[in-house]
Amino acid sequence: VYHNLTKKIKKEQTMRDIAGDTKTARRPSGLIKAGSDYKFPVHSSTPAQDEEEGVGDGNDLDFILPKLNVCILIVGTHGDVLPFCSLAKQLQEHGHRVRIATHDVHRQTVTSRSIEFYPLAGDPKQLSQWTVESGGRITGEARAAMADPSVLKKKDAMLKEIYTSCWGAVSEPDPLSPYYEMFGNMNDSMKSNPNFVADAVIANPPCQTALDVCEALAIPLHIMFPQPWYYGTVEYPHPFSGLSYDKPASSTGTQAKANYASYSIFEGVLHANFGRFINHWRARTLKLPTIPWNHNFSNRIAHCDIPFSAMWSPSFCPKPQDWPEQCQVVGTFTQFTGKAITKVELSEEDTIKFADLIKWIESGTPPVFIGFGSMVIKDTTSLQQMIMDAAKELGTRIVVQSSWSKMDV
């Protein structure tokens, strides 16, 4: 979002260049508080010239960042939504109004944190189950479709409902807004002004029509996700490609080329499947021109240079050398930002509810946590045995969170 805002400033500054001013504004780092007087430093074309000319207080471009209506579009499970709740709270602290639009099953997760909510279509549990059944691979999707064509039909129908619900998410009130007075944990903006039109959108990749709704409103888009997406790299393949994650022998070898191509191939498959439907919806609902039926337009996010923030630690996996400037590895999103986590303060309710677990944890060496979150695992028996064997071999205690896949270890 900030990248796009400051990009606009750069363009305006370029117009001044044409008029005779040879200095250009550079993008600031970090978040800027809405409504604050932020000085965008104006620099010459090279750092050496900056130093020589002594660029300082007299050559700053004044810019007041307005308060924005930010819509965060999320398709996924609880584990997808929770990190964005932390981001939403940070944006609120900087003066912005934030809405999280995701599946209705996550309403309580969002609103309990005093964040505005809008319900997207779709059932995340069913989507997760389909992903597990296909192995999270394009080839698996094809096999599943051949084995039972009705499954693919149901999945396509659900995804189309999700895609079209993104328009309401950025432009309409929450359908439950007339009943807000009955709810707790609602902030002032939710109660006083249920109407909402986005000024900027943050989305994860499964929100396939995020770019379309942003185009309709002429607003910036920023993609964020804890997996590589859209922008190809020779270092590792697309998560849904089914290719090996072994490190390529060289950056120009067959494996490296396959890794890079897997990103555009995946987007091409989606474009072939949903392109006509999205075009019809663009013309009918968004009043936008259709997208050419051409493979060059299949990966629109990359072709439009949309910023992508990779939500993992650069210490765990650094930014690929062949990623463009608008792609950054920004770290994990957590509510403990800037704090050293020594001991989490539990509420009285949690202390009572998890008394047995707390007593067990404190009775011995720190256990290893193994979590499967919102995953529907078909064969839990062999997985249970694998976990127990590993724990015995390492001589460690474990805590297993099975969630949607019931396990008894």
Side-chain angles (χ1 to χ4, degrees):
V1 172
Y2 290 93
H3 176 87
N4 278 278
L5 286 171
T6 51
K7 203 171 183 180
K8 181 180 179 182
I9 296 171
K10 286 183 181 180
K11 289 182 179 179
E12 292 174 354
Q13 194 68 23
T14 301
M15 296 305 293
R16 296 191 184 96
D17 294 349
I18 296 173
D21 185 353
T22 59
K23 296 177 179 180
T24 58
R26 286 185 186 163
R27 174 176 170 236
S29 60
L31 295 177
I32 309 164
K33 191 174 183 63
S36 62
D37 292 322
Y38 182 85
K39 299 289 188 179
F40 277 75
V42 181
H43 298 266
S44 302
S45 56
T46 66
Q49 288 176 316
D50 291 343
E51 185 176 353
E52 183 178 328
E53 295 178 12
V55 173
D57 297 337
N59 290 324
D60 285 341
L61 173 66
D62 293 331
F63 178 72
I64 299 176
L65 183 68
K67 293 184 178 181
L68 302 174
N69 289 346
V70 181
C71 181
I72 303 178
L73 298 170
I74 310 164
V75 171
T77 60
H78 181 80
D80 294 295
V81 175
L82 208 55
F84 285 102
C85 289
S86 298
L87 175 63
K89 297 305 291 183
Q90 285 289 310
L91 289 170
Q92 286 178 340
E93 287 184 14
H94 283 81
H96 304 291
R97 181 182 176 187
V98 187
R99 161 188 279 189
I100 287 183
T102 185
H103 314 290
D104 205 32
V105 70
H106 302 311
R107 179 182 286 273
Q108 180 62 26
T109 299
V110 175
T111 58
S112 65
R113 291 165 171 79
S114 296
I115 303 168
E116 296 187 47
F117 181 84
Y118 185 91
L120 289 184
D123 177 3
K125 187 172 183 179
Q126 182 62 71
L127 289 172
S128 177
Q129 184 173 340
W130 282 331
T131 301
V132 171
E133 290 173 354
S134 68
R137 301 177 179 181
I138 297 177
T139 53
E141 293 279 353
R143 283 195 297 268
M146 288 187 290
D148 187 356
S150 65
V151 172
L152 183 61
K153 188 175 180 180
K154 291 176 183 177
K155 184 176 181 180
D156 284 359
M158 184 181 292
L159 290 175
K160 289 174 181 177
E161 289 176 357
I162 293 171
Y163 296 163
T164 55
S165 66
C166 287
W167 177 234
V170 300
S171 63
E172 297 176 2
D174 176 6
L176 291 187
S177 58
Y179 310 100
Y180 276 176
E181 292 299 327
M182 300 169 56
F183 303 153
N185 302 312
M186 295 292 168
N187 60 33
D188 292 338
S189 66
M190 297 164 74
K191 294 177 180 177
S192 62
N193 183 20
N195 295 322
F196 184 95
V197 178
D199 298 312
V201 170
I202 296 170
N204 68 357
C207 298
Q208 192 71 13
T209 52
L211 185 57
D212 302 284
V213 299
C214 286
E215 183 182 349
L217 292 178
I219 59 175
L221 170 66
H222 194 133
I223 302 294
M224 300 184 182
F225 205 50
Q227 297 184 67
W229 219 273
Y230 294 121
Y231 292 94
T233 174
V234 299
E235 295 187 20
Y236 38 74
H238 190 284
F240 273 51
S241 67
L243 297 177
S244 170
Y245 280 94
D246 292 340
K247 186 176 181 179
S250 73
S251 60
T252 57
T254 303
Q255 183 182 351
K257 291 178 180 178
N259 287 348
Y260 193 91
S262 64
Y263 293 82
S264 58
I265 291 173
F266 178 81
E267 294 304 317
V269 171
L270 287 182
H271 185 59
N273 196 25
F274 296 105
R276 284 190 172 87
F277 169 80
I278 291 175
N279 264 340
H280 182 64
W281 174 70
R282 280 171 60 92
R284 184 184 70 252
T285 303
L286 304 183
K287 311 303 179 185
L288 293 174
T290 57
I291 304 165
W293 192 252
N294 186 305
H295 73 278
N296 291 325
F297 292 87
S298 61
N299 194 347
R300 294 181 293 150
I301 296 294
H303 287 142
C304 292
D305 294 333
I306 302 298
F308 174 75
S309 290
M311 299 162 55
W312 64 73
S313 170
S315 298
F316 170 69
C317 185
K319 174 183 173 179
Q321 294 184 357
D322 51 356
W323 265 8
E325 180 190 3
Q326 68 268 21
C327 298
Q328 297 294 331
V329 178
V330 298
T332 54
F333 293 1
T334 170
Q335 60 181 318
F336 302 108
T337 302
K339 301 176 183 178
I341 306 173
T342 54
K343 185 175 182 180
V344 178
E345 294 296 328
L346 297 176
S347 65
E348 183 178 353
E349 180 184 356
D350 285 342
T351 302
I352 297 172
K353 185 177 180 180
F354 300 107
D356 291 341
L357 176 61
I358 295 170
K359 182 179 179 181
W360 178 82
I361 290 175
E362 294 176 346
S363 67
T365 57
V368 173
F369 174 81
I370 302 174
F372 295 92
S374 308
M375 295 176 64
V376 182
I377 300 169
K378 194 171 183 179
D379 181 13
T380 57
T381 304
S382 60
L383 182 59
Q384 289 171 192
Q385 191 60 49
M386 185 188 302
I387 293 170
M388 289 189 289
D389 291 345
K392 289 176 182 177
E393 183 175 338
L394 295 174
T396 185
R397 303 193 306 160
I398 59 170
V399 175
V400 178
Q401 181 192 45
S402 57
S403 193
W404 286 348
S405 300
K406 303 304 178 185
M407 288 186 282
D408 183 11
V409 294

